[in-house]
Amino acid sequence: MGPSSFSEGFALYLWRSPESPGTLYLANGFSTAEALCRSLAEDGYIVKVVHAATDTEYELRDGALWPLPQGLSPVLA
């Protein structure tokens, strides 16, 4: 298997509270990012998901990732 494509990468920023330092996870592919986000949110983490190539932010709704309109960030709002 060759190197992964940048266009498939997702960055997941997570923290326990807005006042705490966060951690960065990288996921290769949408389904991996979605499963990881769902699992971390179930464990009580605040998760911000960004598609690296397009800088599109996603939010978890009903167990699935959905793109947000540009400029809208519910995690930091």
Side-chain angles (χ1 to χ4, degrees):
M1 187 169 171
S4 63
S5 168
F6 182 74
S7 65
E8 298 172 6
F10 286 81
L12 287 82
Y13 304 93
L14 59 129
W15 52 96
R16 287 282 186 187
S17 75
E19 295 80 32
S20 301
T23 304
L24 171 66
Y25 278 84
L26 300 176
N28 187 23
F30 183 82
S31 61
T32 303
E34 187 173 65
L36 186 55
C37 181
R38 188 172 34 250
S39 176
L40 291 166
E42 288 172 357
D43 286 343
Y45 286 94
I46 300 167
V47 184
K48 178 178 177 179
V49 179
V50 178
H51 182 241
T54 63
D55 198 30
T56 301
E57 187 173 344
Y58 288 79
E59 70 174 344
L60 191 64
R61 281 188 267 146
D62 299 323
L65 286 178
W66 294 87
L68 289 174
Q70 289 292 67
L72 182 61
S73 179
V75 172
L76 302 176

